[in-house]
Each structure stands twice: as structure tokens, then as C-alpha cells.
């Protein structure tokens, strides 16, 4: 990818994920990916997903049930890192030459998500995401699909970092809102301090960013 194209992608991703005016909307998608991270991790560890809710204030919840502490912990961990993991995977798919497959897989996940959304606003968020995905699938050329996935991937990485900073600030400056923090909930369940869970979130997000950069460098070297 030429440096000029990369620069345009980075600027576009920043415009989507940094200013509050655009984050007001894109942050809802990031929250959806966050809650899907909980849900998918829960399903993979034997839990049953009861429902997902997305709210206007960018909060959400993924309700699941199952036996054992381990599955609940794994499900709890993969919320904040989920947007970074998905973003890095999207970037890799483009650099590896599979943008259409990534777009199709994302669309399928969004359609299936409709089955577990339990509030009207959440349904609207998912439907808007499906509409955007369908528009890219049916009307965009493969080249523009790749550009869109690159912008979305970088924006999700930025969104994941932004959400992590937000939850860290809850522990430092807004402790009255601790009940909204996955790190706090994991600490209550396991006895492991919240700080350790925040560090784990940061490590997974950091690893996702490194993977994304390595994917780009690997494609540039070919």
C-alpha cells in the first residue's frame, strides 16, 4: 500500500473514532463489538447467551449463563479487547487478500446478532450496521471494500484504546461508576485486583495493535 493511501486511511479512521461528534455514533458500533466479544467468548467456553443490550450512552450488557467460574471469567475478559481483535483481524484480511471474506463473515455475524438483541435501540444499531455492510457488499468495488475495511479496522483499534482509557478513568476518578467496569466485576468474581484485569486488557489490545502493524509490514515487504 502506498504511503499516501495509508495516510488517507489513518486520517479517515481518526475522523471516525476521535472527534466526539463522530464517536457519538461510531462508539455505538464499538460497544456492539464489545458486547459481542463477551457473547462469543461465552459461547466458546460453553455458556448460553441470553441477550445483548446496547444503550444510547454507549453502555451495554451481554447476559449469559453457564456453570463454572472459568467460562464467566473468559467471557468477562474479552469485552474491551474485542474491538481491537476484530480491527486487527480486518486489517490482516485486507493485507492477506481476503477482504470479501471478512466482509461476508462480518455480515453473517451481524445478522445472527439480531436473534439475541433484547432492546429496540440495540436492534437499530445492528440494523444500521447490517445496512452499511450490505451497501459495501452489493455496491462497492473490491478496492473500495478494502479501503472501507482498513478504515474500520483502524477505527476499531482506536476505539478499543479509547474505551480502555475510559474504563481506567472510572477506577481513578469516577469510582461511583465502578459497577459498569468489567475489571471491577472480574475482581469481585475472582478476588484478583481490578488493576490486574486492566493490565490484561491493555496487553491484549497492545498485542492486537502489534499484529496489525506486523500485517501491514509483511504485506509491504512482499
Amino acid at each position: 500500500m502506498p504511503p499516501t493511501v495509508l495516510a488517507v486511511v489513518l486520517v479517515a479512521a481518526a475522523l471516525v473514532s476521535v472527534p466526539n461528534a463522530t464517536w457519538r455514533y461510531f462508539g455505538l458500533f464499538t460497544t456492539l463489538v464489545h458486547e459481542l466479544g463477551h457473547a462469543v467468548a461465552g459461547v466458546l467456553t460453553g455458556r448460553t447467551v441470553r441477550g445483548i443490550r446496547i444503550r444510547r450512552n454507549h453502555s451495554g450488557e451481554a447476559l449469559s449463563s453457564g456453570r463454572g467460574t472459568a467460562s464467566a471469567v473468559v467471557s468477562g475478559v474479552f469485552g474491551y479487547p474485542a474491538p481491537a481483535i476484530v480491527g486487527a483481524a480486518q486489517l490482516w484480511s485486507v493485507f492477506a487478500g481476503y477482504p470479501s471474506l471478512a466482509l461476508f463473515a462480518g455480515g453473517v455475524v451481524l445478522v445472527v446478532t439480531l436473534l439475541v438483541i433484547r432492546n429496540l435501540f440495540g436492534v437499530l444499531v445492528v440494523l444500521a450496521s447490517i445496512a452499511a455492510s450490505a451497501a459495501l457488499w452489493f455496491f462497492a468495488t473490491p478496492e473500495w471494500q478494502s479501503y472501507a475495511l482498513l478504515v474500520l479496522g483502524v477505527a476499531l483499534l482506536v476505539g478499543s484504546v479509547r474505551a480502555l482509557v475510559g474504563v481506567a478513568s472510572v477506577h481513578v476518578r469516577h469510582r461511583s461508576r465502578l459497577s459498569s467496569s468489567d475489571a471491577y466485576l472480574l475482581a469481585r468474581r475472582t478476588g484478583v485486583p481490578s488493576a490486574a484485569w486492566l493490565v490484561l486488557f491493555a496487553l491484549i489490545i497492545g498485542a492486537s495493535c502489534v499484529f496489525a502493524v506486523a500485517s501491514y509490514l509483511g504485506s509491504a515487504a512482499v
Side-chain angles (χ1 to χ4, degrees):
M1 176 185 297
T4 52
V5 175
L6 177 62
V8 171
V9 167
L10 294 177
V11 169
L15 290 175
V16 169
S17 58
V18 175
N20 288 332
T22 50
W23 177 251
R24 177 182 178 185
Y25 301 102
F26 183 73
L28 294 170
F29 181 71
T30 304
T31 299
L32 174 61
V33 177
H34 173 121
E35 300 306 334
L36 283 173
H38 287 310
V40 171
V43 169
L44 293 177
T45 52
R47 298 181 69 80
T48 300
V49 177
R50 302 296 184 186
I52 292 175
R53 291 184 173 88
I54 307 296
R55 302 184 184 90
R56 286 181 174 82
N57 64 356
H58 292 191
S59 67
E61 59 183 349
L63 303 175
S64 64
S65 60
R67 295 182 178 180
T69 300
S71 64
V73 170
V74 172
S75 177
V77 166
F78 284 96
Y80 286 103
I85 294 171
V86 172
Q90 287 186 329
L91 292 173
W92 173 86
S93 72
V94 174
F95 296 138
Y98 305 110
S100 296
L101 180 60
L103 188 60
F104 177 78
V108 170
V109 171
L110 288 171
V111 171
V112 173
T113 302
L114 282 174
L115 301 176
V116 293
I117 290 290
R118 295 293 181 264
N119 68 322
L120 178 59
F121 187 75
V123 169
L124 294 177
V125 171
V126 176
L127 287 176
S129 303
I130 291 174
S133 180
L136 285 173
W137 179 263
F138 289 109
F139 302 114
T141 64
E143 183 179 21
W144 282 102
Q145 289 177 357
S146 295
Y147 291 151
L149 287 176
L150 288 174
V151 171
L152 180 60
V154 175
L156 284 172
L157 286 168
V158 175
S160 191
V161 173
R162 181 167 180 161
L164 179 63
V165 171
V167 73
S169 72
V170 167
H171 287 263
V172 175
R173 295 184 298 175
H174 306 287
R175 296 185 63 84
S176 62
R177 306 205 312 256
L178 278 177
S179 60
S180 66
S181 165
D182 292 345
Y184 173 75
L185 297 176
L186 285 165
R188 289 190 58 184
R189 181 178 289 274
T190 65
V192 177
S194 299
W197 297 110
L198 291 172
V199 170
L200 179 58
F201 298 163
L203 288 174
I204 299 173
I205 292 170
S208 298
C209 293
V210 170
F211 178 77
V213 172
S215 298
Y216 167 70
L217 294 176
S219 68
V222 175

